[in-house]
Amino acid sequence: MERIYFTTPIYYVNAEPHLGHTYTTVVADTLKRYYNSIGYETFFLTGTDEHGDKIAQAAEASGTDPKSYVDRISNLFRTTWDNCGIAYDHFIRTTDNYHKEFVQKILQKIYDAGDIYFGEYGGFYCYGCERFYTEKELVDGKCPDHQTVPDYISEKNYFFRMSKYQQPLIETIWSKPDLIRPERYRTEVLAFLREPLEDLCISRPTSRLQWGIPLPFDANYVTYVWFDALLNYVSALEYRGGDSVQSFWPKAQHLIAKDILKPHAIYWPTMLMAAGLPLYDHLNVHGYWVMDSAKMSKSLGNVVRPLEMKERFKGMDPFRYFLLREMAFGQDAKFSDQALVMRINADLANNLGNFVSRVLAMQEKYFAGAVQPIGANWAAEDSQLRGKFAQAEDELTGHMAELQFHRALEAIWSALDHANRYIVQTAPYTLIKDPGKQARVGEVLHHLLEVIRTLSRLLAPFLPDTARELRGMLALPQGQEALFAPWGQGFQPGHKINGPKILFPRLEALPDPLEVKINNES
Ligand SMILES: [Zn+2]
């Protein structure tokens, strides 16, 4: 069985799960479900990034020790994904012992090979933030958080000889044009690589930071950020055991937002080269969710909580649908409550939901739910309907390979539009009044039930709960077999379907918080 591996970033535990995290995680979940459905063996990794000075400070500020602090937030991520029905295979924490051991093993290997050296590190240090700033990060020469002029300090640290791998990295990116995708991010990385690459500072002295993985070759230092964080993608596979590293790692598909492009496109491949490991298969980079209304706080994205969405929409699927349908992977997309509600009402409640309940209601009313036979000679419109769904599935295959989820969903909805026209065209509700046309009505409805059965298969990666409900309404067994039977052979003679249920209740948009405030003031 062919293998494929999907990863989200490990999320930094200084914030609770929000819109950005949810999008990346839903995308990975959708891909995993899709590749499972076409016969791949998949592995899906997510987790939390738990070391560093920001965490140590946040723990201190909340009056607790770092381990208790990260236990709490990490658990919050894990239970959120569990409650959202995210089908991850492993949840990694960078404080896990197997991960720490793996990081130390790789650091020692690269140190022994001579690609880690001891040197002088200088930079603008803000004592308030307890971190170095690059000149670019400073605003008018001041710390953007504290508005104070940072001190220039220098200290001894360990460096990874990243510069040595600049040319091999450029050659790799040229030889594999879709290593980093979409194209715009590859272009961005190649532009960055036109400047000489500096070596990477990878340590902090324990006199300043203890909350990290000790360097195996110098107990006075902990490793800082890059080796600790990025190696999770491989340490989790080694922990999984067997030939996981050999078979899954070269098939790795990273999913990230564009803010962490540089570490994943530059630091990480050079680290892999130094460690003698193959590169990942693809780095897939998505854009940001931008808050649409200027009246709303820019930080609203940080307060869009996945579990609140799930509760509001009586399930995770409507929110998943919006995320996957609204963003073109790679580009920024707008988020607003109005857009969310419009999408759910138009595409899910009015289109999909109405279609399903209409078909099932007719089936129940005209034939007491019993599926009627279809003859050997199909009417032209019946063949067209089947053809339209075959075409949608073909298109979907191409779009999924390119991570164009919105196009994949468009293809399904275009076939659904055709199915709605087919109802108007064949008019079973009129034909049923003619006693000589009963058999034709039975055929038409049989084709429409095939539409619902096909939808339950095609939608499963995107809307897993809805797909399950559709199968339930059709009274189909949950296994794959009933789903993959050819059109016209999905139902046993005399099969009885269950009645319709409301899949997606219509919604009202939430009032704009600022307008409410103005009204209350007046
Ligand atoms: Zn500061």
Side-chain angles (χ1 to χ4, degrees):
M1 203 189 272
E2 217 176 318
R3 289 181 159 187
I4 192 161
Y5 175 35
F6 298 104
T7 70
T8 73
I10 42 172
Y11 300 121
Y12 203 48
V13 292
N14 62 345
E16 295 185 8
H18 57 61
L19 180 59
H21 303 127
T22 310
Y23 177 72
T24 319
T25 309
V26 163
V27 163
D29 182 77
T30 302
L31 284 167
K32 179 203 160 70
R33 290 172 191 273
Y34 173 72
Y35 278 89
N36 276 348
S37 78
I38 59 170
Y40 281 72
E41 185 182 357
T42 60
F43 191 65
F44 167 13
L45 178 73
T46 189
T48 42
D49 184 8
E50 305 184 6
H51 288 125
D53 35 19
K54 275 192 194 157
I55 300 302
Q57 286 164 37
E60 206 178 300
S62 66
T64 172
D65 62 292
K67 185 65 169 77
S68 314
Y69 176 83
V70 297
D71 283 351
R72 183 174 67 80
I73 309 279
S74 176
N75 192 47
L76 193 63
F77 272 92
R78 190 196 294 243
T79 53
T80 296
W81 304 145
D82 288 342
N83 290 331
C84 290
I86 299 295
Y88 62 85
D89 293 294
H90 185 64
F91 190 98
I92 190 170
R93 302 182 55 183
T94 54
T95 50
D96 287 337
N97 279 328
Y98 69 85
H99 174 72
K100 293 195 253 183
E101 282 161 19
F102 185 80
V103 169
Q104 288 181 322
K105 182 175 92 175
I106 298 293
L107 282 169
Q108 187 69 52
K109 188 178 176 187
I110 296 176
Y111 181 75
D112 291 344
D115 281 345
I116 290 174
Y117 63 91
F118 200 47
E120 193 85 8
Y121 183 79
F124 298 97
Y125 191 78
C126 172
Y127 284 92
C129 299
E130 291 190 41
R131 61 164 280 202
F132 284 103
Y133 279 93
T134 64
E135 222 161 338
K136 272 189 195 162
E137 287 174 307
L138 298 175
V139 179
D140 301 326
K142 289 177 184 167
C143 164
D145 285 349
H146 293 92
Q147 315 297 330
T148 51
V149 179
D151 287 349
Y152 189 89
I153 66 169
S154 68
E155 65 185 22
K156 288 278 198 180
N157 262 310
Y158 286 89
F159 288 80
F160 166 52
R161 223 178 278 285
M162 190 158 69
S163 54
K164 178 178 159 185
Y165 296 95
Q166 175 161 15
Q167 205 47 42
L169 176 60
I170 293 171
E171 283 159 21
T172 303
I173 295 173
W174 277 109
S175 70
K176 192 175 174 195
D178 60 355
L179 177 75
I180 302 162
R181 59 186 185 177
E183 174 80 28
R184 61 169 67 187
Y185 299 107
R186 172 182 187 262
T187 308
E188 199 176 304
V189 170
L190 284 170
F192 184 83
L193 286 169
R194 275 187 220 118
E195 303 293 320
L197 205 52
E198 284 178 17
D199 290 343
L200 193 63
C201 181
I202 58 153
S203 70
R204 289 292 181 265
T206 49
S207 56
R208 278 207 296 117
L209 177 70
Q210 288 95 44
W211 185 240
I213 302 174
L215 290 184
F217 40 82
D218 189 339
N220 294 317
Y221 288 84
V222 293
T223 187
Y224 188 70
V225 186
W226 309 115
F227 278 84
D228 183 342
L230 292 164
L231 278 171
N232 90 87
Y233 298 130
V234 186
S235 72
L237 289 177
E238 185 162 279
Y239 179 70
R240 185 179 187 269
D243 64 347
S244 299
V245 175
Q246 293 79 354
S247 63
F248 274 113
W249 175 246
K251 300 290 171 193
Q253 301 240 5
H254 292 318
L255 295 154
I256 62 164
K258 62 185 178 183
D259 59 332
I260 48 176
L261 173 64
K262 204 163 121 187
H264 282 80
I266 295 175
Y267 305 175
W268 181 218
T270 60
M271 286 161 56
L272 287 164
M273 287 174 184
L277 286 161
L279 296 199
Y280 48 75
D281 197 15
H282 294 290
L283 177 63
N284 305 298
V285 189
H286 68 77
Y288 291 147
W289 285 96
V290 188
M291 294 307 136
D292 193 19
S293 166
K295 290 186 279 181
M296 284 191 187
S297 153
K298 269 186 197 158
S299 61
L300 184 68
N302 298 327
V303 301
V304 176
R305 303 261 176 240
L307 289 177
E308 285 169 19
M309 291 291 160
K310 185 190 168 197
E311 192 164 328
R312 179 171 167 212
F313 303 128
K314 316 281 177 248
M316 194 60 188
D317 280 6
F319 190 49
R320 281 176 77 108
Y321 179 79
F322 176 80
L323 295 180
L324 294 166
R325 178 63 185 78
E326 199 72 15
M327 178 176 268
F329 190 91
Q331 298 169 31
D332 290 351
K334 284 180 184 169
F335 186 94
S336 74
D337 202 71
Q338 282 76 7
L340 178 62
V341 166
M342 256 168 59
R343 268 273 173 235
I344 294 173
N345 281 345
D347 295 4
L348 298 182
N350 292 353
N351 201 340
L352 176 61
N354 276 355
F355 172 81
V356 170
S357 60
R358 206 172 168 195
V359 170
L360 297 185
M362 286 193 283
Q363 185 68 40
E364 207 170 41
K365 191 172 166 201
Y366 304 156
F367 301 105
V371 181
Q372 303 299 298
I374 13 180
N377 299 315
W378 291 12
E381 61 262 33
D382 302 351
S383 302
Q384 268 169 21
L385 181 66
R386 181 181 61 171
K388 186 70 191 173
F389 275 87
Q391 185 197 333
E393 190 161 2
D394 271 357
E395 287 173 14
L396 184 142
T397 306
H399 295 319
M400 289 306 277
E402 297 295 322
L403 298 104
Q404 295 301 299
F405 310 104
H406 69 302
R407 294 253 180 270
L409 289 168
E410 263 173 13
I412 298 174
W413 257 257
S414 157
L416 181 60
D417 287 340
H418 186 95
N420 272 313
R421 285 197 297 274
Y422 173 87
I423 298 182
V424 177
Q425 198 182 2
T426 53
Y429 37 83
T430 310
L431 288 188
I432 195 69
K433 293 169 191 158
D434 181 346
K437 296 280 166 62
Q438 299 270 324
R440 177 59 188 151
V441 174
E443 280 183 352
V444 164
L445 286 177
H446 192 138
H447 284 292
L448 289 167
L449 292 174
E450 285 293 18
V451 167
I452 300 176
R453 187 174 65 95
T454 305
L455 285 172
S456 78
R457 179 163 53 84
L458 299 185
L459 289 176
F462 309 95
L463 309 175
D465 296 338
T466 306
R468 227 181 340 262
E469 285 208 60
L470 290 177
R471 253 177 285 174
M473 288 187 232
L474 295 176
L476 286 174
Q478 290 296 319
Q480 297 273 11
E481 242 168 75
L483 290 182
F484 282 90
W487 190 286
Q489 294 168 41
F491 300 96
Q492 301 294 324
H495 180 88
K496 272 191 90 168
I497 58 145
N498 294 319
K501 279 194 291 185
I502 291 177
L503 277 173
F504 305 101
R506 278 190 61 86
L507 303 159
E508 300 292 328
L510 287 184
D512 187 313
L514 196 77
E515 278 169 15
V516 173
K517 197 165 160 254
I518 292 168
N519 288 342
N520 289 346
E521 280 166 0
S522 64

